[in-house]
Amino acid sequence: MLVTVDPGSPVGLADQIAAAIRAQIAAGSLAAGDRLPPARELARGLDVNMHTVLRAFAALQSEGLVEVRRGRGAQVTESAAGLQSGQWAELVGLIEQVRRCADRLGLDELQLLDQIRRTR
Amino acid sequence: MSTTAPVARRIGASVLLALAPLLVLVCWLVAHDDLPARVATHFGLDGRPDGFSSPGPFTLVIGIVILILSGLGINGVALGRRLATVRIAVALAGWTSWMLTAVVLSVIWPARNVAPADIRQHWLSTFVVLLVASVVGVLIYRILPPGEGSQVVAAGPAPSYTLRPGERATWVGRARSRKLLVTGVALVLVGALTLLLWGRPFSGFVIFLGLVFGWSSELLVRVDGRGITAHFGPIGWPAFRTPLDRIKAVGAQEIEPTQWGGWGYRIGRRGTALVVRRGPGLVISRTGAADLAITVDDADQAAELLNALLARDSAWRDLR
């Protein structure tokens, strides 16, 4: 499982980690029943505190995407894919709309990205 | 030590090996006139001797074995193109040779001008002998230069993304063998059962073997900015680490255990391997060390990240 974080981003590291896992569930690379890597390993790999990773896991658990159990780590739930695909499909649809709008305005990709970053 | 030329290292290891039979020879030359007709060669736990033999044949026979072992060791050092394998064998030969030397010295030297029955040897001396042998064995192992892998590793896949300078990325994966786990559990159960029913000490060994099988049944692999780290078992120790700056190339390949010497932690002709099962894995060529093979699922993703990290690393170094 690949996770990338950007320490310079205004988005918190725990949120970035959760987002990366969410994306993989939505994309289907994480299936129901798959076990996530141990929080300790992810933390060492990303050079973050283990509790940061655990916060990400907790957030995903509260969304019903994973289940965290003592001694077994975090596991993707049965309903995860369904929960995710709905939200993900919505996001992809919105992105397509944004791109079409940007094209009409004559913005190229970099200008669009710039505008997205400025909007918070 | 790492800047010493390999030839000097080989000479150093050879000297350590040659010292063993030399010490025995010197000891004999100095001591043999002062030795009684029989010397104490075996001691009980109370320190009193319970076995005797003639010093001449005793020293000669063991001395020949020491000479052969050291000779084999020096032969290995001289050959050593595939030093990854030979290094261990030479260190073991040195260990055994020095252990026997320590035994001979501990028997012959105190026996000068003393009646055989009056000799005492403390039971701790066994540990001293083992300690001496182990120190020399480790020294020889560390002095010998590690061999470089000669196989060209097919690098790939090339990364489909580039890593930005501040970004941190990690990939965590694993390889498991249900067969090894089941075998391990079965051995532990059989061993525990026979231990309880018949109390044979051999059962302890069976339990130990079962634990080793179970431990080796899962391998966890992590790729990050510091390199690649892998460990067997549920806790993170002992871990095998290869830093990024020692990695020349990495490729995702099908790993055939018999080509690397079997399952588990192997050191062999092709290099070092961490093998849990037949199938996909990483093959890494390294500077100053033998090739490394690691069985892991989704190895192509791991290789992609490693190649992206290597690319970023070299770009950074080019800038400086």
Side-chain angles (χ1 to χ4, degrees):
Chain A
M1 190 180 97
L2 177 72
V3 176
T4 316
V5 296
D6 181 3
S9 162
V11 178
L13 290 170
D15 293 330
Q16 289 187 49
I17 295 169
I21 298 173
R22 236 180 259 122
Q24 291 187 38
I25 294 175
S29 31
L30 281 173
D34 282 352
R35 203 162 291 147
L36 299 180
R40 182 189 62 220
E41 295 293 331
L42 282 175
R44 287 212 192 122
L46 293 170
D47 200 17
V48 300
N49 198 300
M50 195 175 86
H51 292 288
T52 308
V53 179
L54 289 173
R55 275 210 311 276
F57 284 6
L60 293 166
Q61 177 160 257
S62 70
E63 289 165 35
L65 293 173
V66 307
E67 199 186 330
V68 181
R69 278 185 289 176
R70 288 201 78 83
R72 296 192 121 253
Q75 203 175 6
V76 179
T77 59
E78 290 296 320
S79 49
L83 281 170
Q84 261 315 99
S85 58
Q87 293 170 14
W88 198 254
E90 194 188 333
L91 179 65
V92 169
L94 285 169
I95 290 175
E96 277 162 16
Q97 282 186 44
V98 165
R99 277 187 162 255
R100 282 198 293 270
C101 195
D103 287 339
R104 284 199 296 268
L105 282 168
L107 290 174
D108 69 23
E109 200 174 75
L110 281 172
Q111 287 170 316
L112 173 59
L113 282 168
D114 205 38
Q115 187 59 41
I116 292 175
R117 278 198 204 101
R118 277 203 233 124
T119 317
R120 273 245 135 235
Chain B
M1 265 248 202
S2 53
T3 52
T4 321
V7 173
R9 294 227 209 175
R10 288 174 201 248
I11 292 177
S14 304
V15 164
L16 273 176
L17 287 160
L19 266 176
L22 267 164
L23 273 172
V24 171
L25 185 65
V26 166
C27 175
W28 178 257
L29 288 174
V30 170
H32 77 278
D33 281 331
D34 304 327
L35 294 172
R38 294 183 76 72
V39 295
T41 53
H42 192 271
F43 298 82
L45 274 172
D46 58 357
R48 288 164 180 278
D50 56 16
F52 302 84
S53 94
S54 307
F58 174 80
T59 311
L60 185 66
V61 170
I62 301 188
I64 289 177
V65 175
I66 293 171
L67 192 62
I68 292 175
L69 281 167
S70 286
L72 284 171
I74 294 176
N75 188 45
V77 169
L79 274 184
R81 274 169 304 127
R82 290 273 180 268
L83 264 173
T85 340
V86 179
R87 223 173 143 202
I88 291 247
V90 167
L92 276 173
W95 184 91
T96 318
S97 185
W98 273 82
M99 188 203 63
L100 291 172
T101 303
V103 166
V104 168
L105 292 179
S106 70
V107 162
I108 298 294
W109 194 254
R112 292 167 306 142
N113 299 320
V114 181
D118 294 338
I119 304 238
R120 297 285 177 266
Q121 199 182 85
H122 198 270
W123 57 265
L124 268 178
S125 62
T126 315
F127 292 99
V128 173
V129 165
L130 289 173
L131 186 68
V132 167
S134 304
V135 165
V136 176
V138 168
L139 254 176
I140 291 178
Y141 183 77
R142 301 199 118 219
I143 287 181
L144 287 175
E148 296 239 356
S150 61
Q151 306 256 349
V152 174
V153 169
S160 55
Y161 50 86
T162 32
L163 285 170
R164 291 195 294 274
E167 241 181 334
R168 291 189 212 152
T170 186
W171 180 91
V172 181
R174 68 177 182 198
R176 297 169 130 194
S177 168
R178 176 152 291 168
K179 270 189 269 189
L180 276 176
L181 182 64
V182 167
T183 312
V185 170
L187 281 172
V188 169
L189 287 175
V190 165
L193 202 65
T194 57
L195 189 69
L196 288 170
L197 289 177
W198 294 296
R200 296 225 180 281
F202 183 68
S203 310
F205 176 70
V206 174
I207 294 175
F208 172 72
L209 203 64
L211 289 171
V212 171
F213 270 66
W215 190 264
S216 328
S217 67
E218 175 155 2
L219 182 68
L220 194 118
V221 179
R222 184 181 79 231
V223 174
D224 56 34
R226 278 165 301 202
I228 185 164
T229 310
H231 64 84
F232 290 103
I235 66 174
W237 182 89
F240 304 94
R241 265 187 212 96
T242 302
L244 205 64
D245 55 18
R246 284 227 181 278
I247 298 179
K248 286 198 293 204
V250 60
Q253 293 177 16
E254 284 294 303
I255 293 184
E256 171 53 57
T258 53
Q259 281 182 9
W260 292 86
W263 280 254
Y265 174 52
R266 318 306 302 187
I267 302 177
R269 196 174 300 275
R270 260 194 90 167
T272 308
L274 306 170
V275 179
V276 155
R277 48 106 182 103
R278 187 175 280 117
L282 296 165
V283 177
I284 303 166
S285 74
R286 308 182 282 180
T287 53
D291 288 351
L292 178 64
I294 302 177
T295 53
V296 68
D297 299 338
D298 299 322
D300 47 346
Q301 295 174 9
E304 221 184 312
L305 177 60
L306 259 177
N307 282 318
L309 287 163
L310 287 168
R312 178 174 74 175
D313 212 44
S314 67
W316 166 239
R317 270 189 259 124
D318 290 342
L319 278 173
R320 289 162 93 200

